Each structure stands twice: as C-alpha cells, then as structure tokens.
PDB file of all heavy atoms in Angstrom:
ATOM      1  N   SER V  85      17.255  -2.810   7.694  1.00 94.00           N
ATOM      2  CA  SER V  85      18.294  -2.971   6.678  1.00 94.00           C
ATOM      3  C   SER V  85      17.771  -3.715   5.452  1.00 94.00           C
ATOM      4  O   SER V  85      16.890  -4.544   5.566  1.00 94.00           O
ATOM      5  CB  SER V  85      19.516  -3.711   7.267  1.00 94.00           C
ATOM      6  OG  SER V  85      19.146  -5.032   7.659  1.00 94.00           O
ATOM      7  N   ALA V  86      18.332  -3.337   4.314  1.00 92.00           N
ATOM      8  CA  ALA V  86      18.020  -3.962   3.029  1.00 92.00           C
ATOM      9  C   ALA V  86      19.040  -3.471   2.015  1.00 92.00           C
ATOM     10  O   ALA V  86      19.714  -2.459   2.239  1.00 92.00           O
ATOM     11  CB  ALA V  86      16.605  -3.618   2.573  1.00 92.00           C
ATOM     12  N   TYR V  87      19.138  -4.154   0.898  1.00 89.00           N
ATOM     13  CA  TYR V  87      20.038  -3.750  -0.207  1.00 89.00           C
ATOM     14  C   TYR V  87      19.710  -2.319  -0.654  1.00 89.00           C
ATOM     15  O   TYR V  87      20.582  -1.500  -0.846  1.00 89.00           O
ATOM     16  CB  TYR V  87      19.884  -4.730  -1.366  1.00 89.00           C
ATOM     17  CG  TYR V  87      20.556  -4.315  -2.638  1.00 89.00           C
ATOM     18  CD1 TYR V  87      21.912  -4.495  -2.813  1.00 89.00           C
ATOM     19  CD2 TYR V  87      19.812  -3.755  -3.663  1.00 89.00           C
ATOM     20  CE1 TYR V  87      22.544  -4.106  -3.993  1.00 89.00           C
ATOM     21  CE2 TYR V  87      20.416  -3.351  -4.841  1.00 89.00           C
ATOM     22  CZ  TYR V  87      21.790  -3.527  -4.997  1.00 89.00           C
ATOM     23  OH  TYR V  87      22.395  -3.142  -6.160  1.00 89.00           O
ATOM     24  N   GLY V  88      18.438  -2.026  -0.802  1.00 88.00           N
ATOM     25  CA  GLY V  88      17.995  -0.682  -1.182  1.00 88.00           C
ATOM     26  C   GLY V  88      16.869  -0.229  -0.273  1.00 88.00           C
ATOM     27  O   GLY V  88      16.034  -1.042   0.119  1.00 88.00           O
ATOM     28  N   GLY V  89      16.851   1.036   0.061  1.00 90.00           N
ATOM     29  CA  GLY V  89      15.803   1.554   0.922  1.00 90.00           C
ATOM     30  C   GLY V  89      15.763   0.855   2.250  1.00 90.00           C
ATOM     31  O   GLY V  89      14.803   0.145   2.567  1.00 90.00           O
ATOM     32  N   PRO V  90      16.791   0.989   3.076  1.00 94.00           N
ATOM     33  CA  PRO V  90      16.833   0.238   4.299  1.00 94.00           C
ATOM     34  C   PRO V  90      15.628   0.456   5.216  1.00 94.00           C
ATOM     35  O   PRO V  90      15.142  -0.509   5.815  1.00 94.00           O
ATOM     36  CB  PRO V  90      18.120   0.726   4.993  1.00 94.00           C
ATOM     37  CG  PRO V  90      18.499   1.973   4.298  1.00 94.00           C
ATOM     38  CD  PRO V  90      17.906   1.922   2.931  1.00 94.00           C
ATOM     39  N   ASP V  91      15.110   1.676   5.276  1.00 96.00           N
ATOM     40  CA  ASP V  91      13.954   1.931   6.129  1.00 96.00           C
ATOM     41  C   ASP V  91      12.650   2.020   5.327  1.00 96.00           C
ATOM     42  O   ASP V  91      11.658   1.436   5.709  1.00 96.00           O
ATOM     43  CB  ASP V  91      14.158   3.201   6.964  1.00 96.00           C
ATOM     44  CG  ASP V  91      15.154   2.983   8.101  1.00 96.00           C
ATOM     45  OD1 ASP V  91      15.165   1.867   8.677  1.00 96.00           O
ATOM     46  OD2 ASP V  91      15.935   3.897   8.413  1.00 96.00           O
ATOM     47  N   LEU V  92      12.665   2.766   4.238  1.00 95.00           N
ATOM     48  CA  LEU V  92      11.471   2.944   3.393  1.00 95.00           C
ATOM     49  C   LEU V  92      11.846   2.733   1.939  1.00 95.00           C
ATOM     50  O   LEU V  92      12.904   3.171   1.489  1.00 95.00           O
ATOM     51  CB  LEU V  92      10.920   4.360   3.514  1.00 95.00           C
ATOM     52  CG  LEU V  92      10.415   4.867   4.846  1.00 95.00           C
ATOM     53  CD1 LEU V  92      10.070   6.336   4.754  1.00 95.00           C
ATOM     54  CD2 LEU V  92       9.218   4.049   5.299  1.00 95.00           C
ATOM     55  N   TYR V  93      10.931   2.097   1.204  1.00 91.00           N
ATOM     56  CA  TYR V  93      11.161   1.991  -0.256  1.00 91.00           C
ATOM     57  C   TYR V  93       9.828   1.904  -0.984  1.00 91.00           C
ATOM     58  O   TYR V  93       8.899   1.206  -0.568  1.00 91.00           O
ATOM     59  CB  TYR V  93      11.972   0.731  -0.606  1.00 91.00           C
ATOM     60  CG  TYR V  93      12.177   0.611  -2.096  1.00 91.00           C
ATOM     61  CD1 TYR V  93      13.187   1.319  -2.729  1.00 91.00           C
ATOM     62  CD2 TYR V  93      11.331  -0.166  -2.872  1.00 91.00           C
ATOM     63  CE1 TYR V  93      13.349   1.241  -4.097  1.00 91.00           C
ATOM     64  CE2 TYR V  93      11.499  -0.250  -4.237  1.00 91.00           C
ATOM     65  CZ  TYR V  93      12.501   0.458  -4.845  1.00 91.00           C
ATOM     66  OH  TYR V  93      12.669   0.381  -6.201  1.00 91.00           O
ATOM     67  N   SER V  94       9.740   2.628  -2.085  1.00 88.00           N
ATOM     68  CA  SER V  94       8.669   2.484  -3.018  1.00 88.00           C
ATOM     69  C   SER V  94       9.144   2.977  -4.384  1.00 88.00           C
ATOM     70  O   SER V  94       9.674   4.060  -4.465  1.00 88.00           O
ATOM     71  CB  SER V  94       7.429   3.271  -2.609  1.00 88.00           C
ATOM     72  OG  SER V  94       6.407   3.053  -3.593  1.00 88.00           O
ATOM     73  N   SER V  95       8.973   2.161  -5.395  1.00 81.00           N
ATOM     74  CA  SER V  95       9.361   2.584  -6.749  1.00 81.00           C
ATOM     75  C   SER V  95       8.258   3.386  -7.403  1.00 81.00           C
ATOM     76  O   SER V  95       8.499   4.050  -8.406  1.00 81.00           O
ATOM     77  CB  SER V  95       9.699   1.360  -7.594  1.00 81.00           C
ATOM     78  OG  SER V  95       8.533   0.532  -7.704  1.00 81.00           O
ATOM     79  N   THR V  96       7.048   3.352  -6.842  1.00 82.00           N
ATOM     80  CA  THR V  96       5.908   4.003  -7.524  1.00 82.00           C
ATOM     81  C   THR V  96       5.189   5.059  -6.665  1.00 82.00           C
ATOM     82  O   THR V  96       4.489   5.879  -7.205  1.00 82.00           O
ATOM     83  CB  THR V  96       4.873   2.946  -7.922  1.00 82.00           C
ATOM     84  OG1 THR V  96       4.466   2.224  -6.764  1.00 82.00           O
ATOM     85  CG2 THR V  96       5.433   1.980  -8.950  1.00 82.00           C
ATOM     86  N   GLU V  97       5.356   5.024  -5.363  1.00 84.00           N
ATOM     87  CA  GLU V  97       4.621   5.929  -4.504  1.00 84.00           C
ATOM     88  C   GLU V  97       5.539   6.890  -3.742  1.00 84.00           C
ATOM     89  O   GLU V  97       6.711   6.616  -3.543  1.00 84.00           O
ATOM     90  CB  GLU V  97       3.775   5.162  -3.466  1.00 84.00           C
ATOM     91  CG  GLU V  97       2.457   4.698  -4.009  1.00 84.00           C
ATOM     92  CD  GLU V  97       2.562   3.363  -4.717  1.00 84.00           C
ATOM     93  OE1 GLU V  97       3.549   2.648  -4.497  1.00 84.00           O
ATOM     94  OE2 GLU V  97       1.672   3.023  -5.490  1.00 84.00           O
ATOM     95  N   THR V  98       4.962   7.971  -3.316  1.00 91.00           N
ATOM     96  CA  THR V  98       5.610   8.920  -2.412  1.00 91.00           C
ATOM     97  C   THR V  98       4.995   8.702  -1.024  1.00 91.00           C
ATOM     98  O   THR V  98       3.786   8.567  -0.894  1.00 91.00           O
ATOM     99  CB  THR V  98       5.328  10.377  -2.862  1.00 91.00           C
ATOM    100  OG1 THR V  98       5.896  10.548  -4.154  1.00 91.00           O
ATOM    101  CG2 THR V  98       5.905  11.386  -1.912  1.00 91.00           C
ATOM    102  N   PHE V  99       5.828   8.659  -0.016  1.00 94.00           N
ATOM    103  CA  PHE V  99       5.337   8.503   1.357  1.00 94.00           C
ATOM    104  C   PHE V  99       4.886   9.869   1.861  1.00 94.00           C
ATOM    105  O   PHE V  99       5.692  10.808   1.898  1.00 94.00           O
ATOM    106  CB  PHE V  99       6.426   7.945   2.270  1.00 94.00           C
ATOM    107  CG  PHE V  99       6.755   6.520   2.014  1.00 94.00           C
ATOM    108  CD1 PHE V  99       7.718   6.160   1.097  1.00 94.00           C
ATOM    109  CD2 PHE V  99       6.102   5.511   2.726  1.00 94.00           C
ATOM    110  CE1 PHE V  99       8.025   4.820   0.871  1.00 94.00           C
ATOM    111  CE2 PHE V  99       6.398   4.177   2.491  1.00 94.00           C
ATOM    112  CZ  PHE V  99       7.369   3.828   1.560  1.00 94.00           C
ATOM    113  N   GLY V 100       3.630   9.998   2.234  1.00 95.00           N
ATOM    114  CA  GLY V 100       3.176  11.201   2.927  1.00 95.00           C
ATOM    115  C   GLY V 100       3.510  11.020   4.393  1.00 95.00           C
ATOM    116  O   GLY V 100       3.211   9.958   4.962  1.00 95.00           O
ATOM    117  N   ALA V 101       4.139  11.992   4.998  1.00 97.00           N
ATOM    118  CA  ALA V 101       4.562  11.832   6.377  1.00 97.00           C
ATOM    119  C   ALA V 101       4.392  13.118   7.168  1.00 97.00           C
ATOM    120  O   ALA V 101       4.637  14.211   6.642  1.00 97.00           O
ATOM    121  CB  ALA V 101       6.016  11.369   6.439  1.00 97.00           C
ATOM    122  N   SER V 102       3.965  12.953   8.411  1.00 98.00           N
ATOM    123  CA  SER V 102       3.942  14.072   9.332  1.00 98.00           C
ATOM    124  C   SER V 102       4.300  13.567  10.719  1.00 98.00           C
ATOM    125  O   SER V 102       3.895  12.471  11.121  1.00 98.00           O
ATOM    126  CB  SER V 102       2.577  14.758   9.333  1.00 98.00           C
ATOM    127  OG  SER V 102       1.557  13.857   9.683  1.00 98.00           O
ATOM    128  N   PHE V 103       5.101  14.336  11.412  1.00 98.00           N
ATOM    129  CA  PHE V 103       5.568  13.975  12.770  1.00 98.00           C
ATOM    130  C   PHE V 103       6.113  12.558  12.757  1.00 98.00           C
ATOM    131  O   PHE V 103       5.743  11.720  13.581  1.00 98.00           O
ATOM    132  CB  PHE V 103       4.433  14.172  13.790  1.00 98.00           C
ATOM    133  CG  PHE V 103       4.018  15.612  13.903  1.00 98.00           C
ATOM    134  CD1 PHE V 103       2.877  16.050  13.245  1.00 98.00           C
ATOM    135  CD2 PHE V 103       4.770  16.521  14.625  1.00 98.00           C
ATOM    136  CE1 PHE V 103       2.498  17.391  13.315  1.00 98.00           C
ATOM    137  CE2 PHE V 103       4.392  17.863  14.694  1.00 98.00           C
ATOM    138  CZ  PHE V 103       3.263  18.289  14.050  1.00 98.00           C
ATOM    139  N   THR V 104       7.000  12.300  11.802  1.00 98.00           N
ATOM    140  CA  THR V 104       7.582  10.967  11.621  1.00 98.00           C
ATOM    141  C   THR V 104       9.096  11.069  11.612  1.00 98.00           C
ATOM    142  O   THR V 104       9.642  12.003  11.054  1.00 98.00           O
ATOM    143  CB  THR V 104       7.059  10.349  10.313  1.00 98.00           C
ATOM    144  OG1 THR V 104       5.656  10.039  10.513  1.00 98.00           O
ATOM    145  CG2 THR V 104       7.785   9.078   9.932  1.00 98.00           C
ATOM    146  N   LEU V 105       9.751  10.105  12.245  1.00 98.00           N
ATOM    147  CA  LEU V 105      11.207  10.024  12.239  1.00 98.00           C
ATOM    148  C   LEU V 105      11.629   8.848  11.363  1.00 98.00           C
ATOM    149  O   LEU V 105      11.208   7.712  11.616  1.00 98.00           O
ATOM    150  CB  LEU V 105      11.754   9.838  13.659  1.00 98.00           C
ATOM    151  CG  LEU V 105      13.271   9.915  13.811  1.00 98.00           C
ATOM    152  CD1 LEU V 105      13.640  10.388  15.216  1.00 98.00           C
ATOM    153  CD2 LEU V 105      13.978   8.597  13.512  1.00 98.00           C
ATOM    154  N   VAL V 106      12.417   9.128  10.332  1.00 98.00           N
ATOM    155  CA  VAL V 106      12.957   8.113   9.441  1.00 98.00           C
ATOM    156  C   VAL V 106      14.466   8.120   9.608  1.00 98.00           C
ATOM    157  O   VAL V 106      15.115   9.149   9.366  1.00 98.00           O
ATOM    158  CB  VAL V 106      12.553   8.362   7.962  1.00 98.00           C
ATOM    159  CG1 VAL V 106      13.177   7.308   7.058  1.00 98.00           C
ATOM    160  CG2 VAL V 106      11.046   8.381   7.826  1.00 98.00           C
ATOM    161  N   GLY V 107      15.025   6.985   9.995  1.00 98.00           N
ATOM    162  CA  GLY V 107      16.456   6.887  10.252  1.00 98.00           C
ATOM    163  C   GLY V 107      17.294   7.049   8.988  1.00 98.00           C
ATOM    164  O   GLY V 107      18.346   7.680   9.017  1.00 98.00           O
ATOM    165  N   ASP V 108      16.859   6.463   7.873  1.00 97.00           N
ATOM    166  CA  ASP V 108      17.605   6.524   6.618  1.00 97.00           C
ATOM    167  C   ASP V 108      16.588   6.627   5.488  1.00 97.00           C
ATOM    168  O   ASP V 108      15.894   5.656   5.186  1.00 97.00           O
ATOM    169  CB  ASP V 108      18.471   5.292   6.461  1.00 97.00           C
ATOM    170  CG  ASP V 108      19.372   5.310   5.230  1.00 97.00           C
ATOM    171  OD1 ASP V 108      19.137   6.121   4.300  1.00 97.00           O
ATOM    172  OD2 ASP V 108      20.328   4.516   5.191  1.00 97.00           O
ATOM    173  N   ASP V 109      16.497   7.785   4.855  1.00 95.00           N
ATOM    174  CA  ASP V 109      15.504   7.980   3.798  1.00 95.00           C
ATOM    175  C   ASP V 109      16.035   7.664   2.394  1.00 95.00           C
ATOM    176  O   ASP V 109      15.390   7.992   1.407  1.00 95.00           O
ATOM    177  CB  ASP V 109      14.899   9.388   3.862  1.00 95.00           C
ATOM    178  CG  ASP V 109      15.895  10.495   3.466  1.00 95.00           C
ATOM    179  OD1 ASP V 109      17.104  10.195   3.271  1.00 95.00           O
ATOM    180  OD2 ASP V 109      15.450  11.636   3.389  1.00 95.00           O
ATOM    181  N   THR V 110      17.155   6.956   2.309  1.00 92.00           N
ATOM    182  CA  THR V 110      17.691   6.547   1.019  1.00 92.00           C
ATOM    183  C   THR V 110      16.651   5.731   0.261  1.00 92.00           C
ATOM    184  O   THR V 110      16.043   4.821   0.812  1.00 92.00           O
ATOM    185  CB  THR V 110      18.955   5.703   1.217  1.00 92.00           C
ATOM    186  OG1 THR V 110      19.923   6.478   1.939  1.00 92.00           O
ATOM    187  CG2 THR V 110      19.559   5.266  -0.112  1.00 92.00           C
ATOM    188  N   ASP V 111      16.450   6.032  -1.025  1.00 90.00           N
ATOM    189  CA  ASP V 111      15.518   5.333  -1.911  1.00 90.00           C
ATOM    190  C   ASP V 111      14.046   5.529  -1.575  1.00 90.00           C
ATOM    191  O   ASP V 111      13.185   4.739  -1.987  1.00 90.00           O
ATOM    192  CB  ASP V 111      15.817   3.824  -1.985  1.00 90.00           C
ATOM    193  CG  ASP V 111      17.166   3.539  -2.614  1.00 90.00           C
ATOM    194  OD1 ASP V 111      17.567   4.292  -3.522  1.00 90.00           O
ATOM    195  OD2 ASP V 111      17.823   2.567  -2.201  1.00 90.00           O
ATOM    196  N   ALA V 112      13.728   6.569  -0.819  1.00 92.00           N
ATOM    197  CA  ALA V 112      12.322   6.874  -0.501  1.00 92.00           C
ATOM    198  C   ALA V 112      12.063   8.338  -0.853  1.00 92.00           C
ATOM    199  O   ALA V 112      12.902   9.204  -0.643  1.00 92.00           O
ATOM    200  CB  ALA V 112      12.043   6.649   0.971  1.00 92.00           C
ATOM    201  N   THR V 113      10.893   8.591  -1.397  1.00 92.00           N
ATOM    202  CA  THR V 113      10.458   9.947  -1.620  1.00 92.00           C
ATOM    203  C   THR V 113       9.421  10.278  -0.564  1.00 92.00           C
ATOM    204  O   THR V 113       8.417   9.578  -0.429  1.00 92.00           O
ATOM    205  CB  THR V 113       9.841  10.109  -3.030  1.00 92.00           C
ATOM    206  OG1 THR V 113      10.821   9.690  -3.995  1.00 92.00           O
ATOM    207  CG2 THR V 113       9.434  11.543  -3.311  1.00 92.00           C
ATOM    208  N   ILE V 114       9.693  11.321   0.204  1.00 95.00           N
ATOM    209  CA  ILE V 114       8.827  11.678   1.340  1.00 95.00           C
ATOM    210  C   ILE V 114       8.224  13.055   1.083  1.00 95.00           C
ATOM    211  O   ILE V 114       8.957  14.017   0.851  1.00 95.00           O
ATOM    212  CB  ILE V 114       9.623  11.668   2.656  1.00 95.00           C
ATOM    213  CG1 ILE V 114      10.172  10.247   2.926  1.00 95.00           C
ATOM    214  CG2 ILE V 114       8.756  12.152   3.813  1.00 95.00           C
ATOM    215  CD1 ILE V 114      11.106  10.150   4.087  1.00 95.00           C
ATOM    216  N   ASN V 115       6.918  13.098   1.116  1.00 95.00           N
ATOM    217  CA  ASN V 115       6.188  14.350   0.992  1.00 95.00           C
ATOM    218  C   ASN V 115       5.775  14.776   2.400  1.00 95.00           C
ATOM    219  O   ASN V 115       4.948  14.120   3.017  1.00 95.00           O
ATOM    220  CB  ASN V 115       4.954  14.175   0.104  1.00 95.00           C
ATOM    221  CG  ASN V 115       4.118  15.420   0.037  1.00 95.00           C
ATOM    222  OD1 ASN V 115       4.593  16.529   0.201  1.00 95.00           O
ATOM    223  ND2 ASN V 115       2.815  15.244  -0.196  1.00 95.00           N
ATOM    224  N   GLU V 116       6.380  15.846   2.875  1.00 94.00           N
ATOM    225  CA  GLU V 116       6.064  16.324   4.223  1.00 94.00           C
ATOM    226  C   GLU V 116       4.691  16.971   4.199  1.00 94.00           C
ATOM    227  O   GLU V 116       4.509  18.023   3.625  1.00 94.00           O
ATOM    228  CB  GLU V 116       7.141  17.317   4.670  1.00 94.00           C
ATOM    229  CG  GLU V 116       7.053  17.658   6.108  1.00 94.00           C
ATOM    230  CD  GLU V 116       8.337  18.298   6.598  1.00 94.00           C
ATOM    231  OE1 GLU V 116       8.761  19.310   6.033  1.00 94.00           O
ATOM    232  OE2 GLU V 116       8.878  17.775   7.559  1.00 94.00           O
ATOM    233  N   THR V 117       3.705  16.326   4.834  1.00 95.00           N
ATOM    234  CA  THR V 117       2.334  16.817   4.804  1.00 95.00           C
ATOM    235  C   THR V 117       2.072  17.924   5.807  1.00 95.00           C
ATOM    236  O   THR V 117       1.093  18.669   5.657  1.00 95.00           O
ATOM    237  CB  THR V 117       1.335  15.666   4.997  1.00 95.00           C
ATOM    238  OG1 THR V 117       1.626  15.001   6.226  1.00 95.00           O
ATOM    239  CG2 THR V 117       1.423  14.677   3.847  1.00 95.00           C
ATOM    240  N   ILE V 118       2.904  18.061   6.836  1.00 96.00           N
ATOM    241  CA  ILE V 118       2.886  19.203   7.742  1.00 96.00           C
ATOM    242  C   ILE V 118       4.317  19.731   7.784  1.00 96.00           C
ATOM    243  O   ILE V 118       5.239  19.010   8.209  1.00 96.00           O
ATOM    244  CB  ILE V 118       2.382  18.821   9.145  1.00 96.00           C
ATOM    245  CG1 ILE V 118       0.925  18.348   9.078  1.00 96.00           C
ATOM    246  CG2 ILE V 118       2.510  20.003  10.114  1.00 96.00           C
ATOM    247  CD1 ILE V 118       0.353  17.863  10.400  1.00 96.00           C
ATOM    248  N   ALA V 119       4.522  20.953   7.366  1.00 96.00           N
ATOM    249  CA  ALA V 119       5.863  21.530   7.230  1.00 96.00           C
ATOM    250  C   ALA V 119       6.673  21.422   8.525  1.00 96.00           C
ATOM    251  O   ALA V 119       6.161  21.664   9.621  1.00 96.00           O
ATOM    252  CB  ALA V 119       5.741  22.994   6.798  1.00 96.00           C
ATOM    253  N   ASP V 120       7.910  21.052   8.355  1.00 97.00           N
ATOM    254  CA  ASP V 120       8.892  20.994   9.436  1.00 97.00           C
ATOM    255  C   ASP V 120       8.508  20.062  10.574  1.00 97.00           C
ATOM    256  O   ASP V 120       8.950  20.246  11.723  1.00 97.00           O
ATOM    257  CB  ASP V 120       9.168  22.410   9.978  1.00 97.00           C
ATOM    258  CG  ASP V 120       9.699  23.342   8.894  1.00 97.00           C
ATOM    259  OD1 ASP V 120      10.507  22.899   8.062  1.00 97.00           O
ATOM    260  OD2 ASP V 120       9.263  24.523   8.885  1.00 97.00           O
ATOM    261  N   SER V 121       7.706  19.029  10.295  1.00 98.00           N
ATOM    262  CA  SER V 121       7.291  18.115  11.374  1.00 98.00           C
ATOM    263  C   SER V 121       8.090  16.823  11.397  1.00 98.00           C
ATOM    264  O   SER V 121       8.072  16.122  12.419  1.00 98.00           O
ATOM    265  CB  SER V 121       5.805  17.786  11.250  1.00 98.00           C
ATOM    266  OG  SER V 121       5.534  17.011  10.092  1.00 98.00           O
ATOM    267  N   ASN V 122       8.776  16.480  10.318  1.00 98.00           N
ATOM    268  CA  ASN V 122       9.489  15.215  10.243  1.00 98.00           C
ATOM    269  C   ASN V 122      10.948  15.359  10.663  1.00 98.00           C
ATOM    270  O   ASN V 122      11.540  16.433  10.541  1.00 98.00           O
ATOM    271  CB  ASN V 122       9.412  14.637   8.836  1.00 98.00           C
ATOM    272  CG  ASN V 122       7.999  14.291   8.456  1.00 98.00           C
ATOM    273  OD1 ASN V 122       7.260  13.695   9.224  1.00 98.00           O
ATOM    274  ND2 ASN V 122       7.591  14.684   7.261  1.00 98.00           N
ATOM    275  N   ILE V 123      11.505  14.257  11.098  1.00 98.00           N
ATOM    276  CA  ILE V 123      12.924  14.186  11.450  1.00 98.00           C
ATOM    277  C   ILE V 123      13.516  13.113  10.551  1.00 98.00           C
ATOM    278  O   ILE V 123      13.138  11.952  10.641  1.00 98.00           O
ATOM    279  CB  ILE V 123      13.129  13.836  12.931  1.00 98.00           C
ATOM    280  CG1 ILE V 123      12.459  14.892  13.821  1.00 98.00           C
ATOM    281  CG2 ILE V 123      14.603  13.684  13.255  1.00 98.00           C
ATOM    282  CD1 ILE V 123      12.388  14.505  15.294  1.00 98.00           C
ATOM    283  N   LEU V 124      14.434  13.506   9.676  1.00 97.00           N
ATOM    284  CA  LEU V 124      15.017  12.568   8.713  1.00 97.00           C
ATOM    285  C   LEU V 124      16.493  12.349   8.985  1.00 97.00           C
ATOM    286  O   LEU V 124      17.222  13.272   9.357  1.00 97.00           O
ATOM    287  CB  LEU V 124      14.804  13.072   7.294  1.00 97.00           C
ATOM    288  CG  LEU V 124      13.364  13.358   6.889  1.00 97.00           C
ATOM    289  CD1 LEU V 124      13.319  13.911   5.468  1.00 97.00           C
ATOM    290  CD2 LEU V 124      12.512  12.111   7.012  1.00 97.00           C
ATOM    291  N   ASN V 125      16.915  11.111   8.754  1.00 97.00           N
ATOM    292  CA  ASN V 125      18.330  10.715   8.824  1.00 97.00           C
ATOM    293  C   ASN V 125      18.944  10.960  10.207  1.00 97.00           C
ATOM    294  O   ASN V 125      20.068  11.442  10.317  1.00 97.00           O
ATOM    295  CB  ASN V 125      19.125  11.398   7.705  1.00 97.00           C
ATOM    296  CG  ASN V 125      18.593  11.005   6.356  1.00 97.00           C
ATOM    297  OD1 ASN V 125      18.413   9.820   6.070  1.00 97.00           O
ATOM    298  ND2 ASN V 125      18.298  11.993   5.521  1.00 97.00           N
ATOM    299  N   GLN V 126      18.180  10.618  11.245  1.00 98.00           N
ATOM    300  CA  GLN V 126      18.674  10.677  12.616  1.00 98.00           C
ATOM    301  C   GLN V 126      18.359   9.362  13.302  1.00 98.00           C
ATOM    302  O   GLN V 126      17.344   8.711  13.025  1.00 98.00           O
ATOM    303  CB  GLN V 126      18.038  11.825  13.381  1.00 98.00           C
ATOM    304  CG  GLN V 126      18.562  13.184  12.960  1.00 98.00           C
ATOM    305  CD  GLN V 126      18.138  14.253  13.944  1.00 98.00           C
ATOM    306  OE1 GLN V 126      18.083  14.034  15.149  1.00 98.00           O
ATOM    307  NE2 GLN V 126      17.839  15.426  13.432  1.00 98.00           N
ATOM    308  N   ASP V 127      19.204   8.995  14.225  1.00 98.00           N
ATOM    309  CA  ASP V 127      19.022   7.797  15.045  1.00 98.00           C
ATOM    310  C   ASP V 127      18.057   8.129  16.192  1.00 98.00           C
ATOM    311  O   ASP V 127      18.315   9.050  16.973  1.00 98.00           O
ATOM    312  CB  ASP V 127      20.377   7.374  15.607  1.00 98.00           C
ATOM    313  CG  ASP V 127      20.348   6.098  16.428  1.00 98.00           C
ATOM    314  OD1 ASP V 127      19.244   5.617  16.779  1.00 98.00           O
ATOM    315  OD2 ASP V 127      21.433   5.589  16.722  1.00 98.00           O
ATOM    316  N   PRO V 128      16.954   7.375  16.354  1.00 98.00           N
ATOM    317  CA  PRO V 128      16.020   7.664  17.429  1.00 98.00           C
ATOM    318  C   PRO V 128      16.508   7.192  18.805  1.00 98.00           C
ATOM    319  O   PRO V 128      15.878   7.457  19.820  1.00 98.00           O
ATOM    320  CB  PRO V 128      14.760   6.932  17.017  1.00 98.00           C
ATOM    321  CG  PRO V 128      15.261   5.808  16.173  1.00 98.00           C
ATOM    322  CD  PRO V 128      16.475   6.331  15.464  1.00 98.00           C
ATOM    323  N   LEU V 129      17.637   6.479  18.834  1.00 98.00           N
ATOM    324  CA  LEU V 129      18.213   5.967  20.079  1.00 98.00           C
ATOM    325  C   LEU V 129      17.277   5.014  20.812  1.00 98.00           C
ATOM    326  O   LEU V 129      17.175   5.020  22.036  1.00 98.00           O
ATOM    327  CB  LEU V 129      18.595   7.144  21.008  1.00 98.00           C
ATOM    328  CG  LEU V 129      19.520   8.210  20.403  1.00 98.00           C
ATOM    329  CD1 LEU V 129      19.713   9.365  21.392  1.00 98.00           C
ATOM    330  CD2 LEU V 129      20.845   7.617  19.993  1.00 98.00           C
TER     331      LEU V 129
END
C-alpha cells in the first residue's frame, strides 16, 4: 500500500516483466517482455 502506486511505481521507468503477478498496477507502466505471461490486477491469495 501507498498513496500512489501501491505495488509498483516509477515516474521515469517502465517495468519489464515476464511471468509476474502484480496485484495492483495503478501508476506503473509494465512492458510485457513475454506475451501473455503476466497476471495483472489479481489477488495471489
């Protein structure tokens, strides 16, 4: 949790991600480096 970007935040960079689960991608730019490998905005339980 945070005021902005609760899980990820960068004002200058894009996050490269593959096979990654991000619960809340608000305020983050994510570049999927392997197509259809990421899970966004889901609770990992």
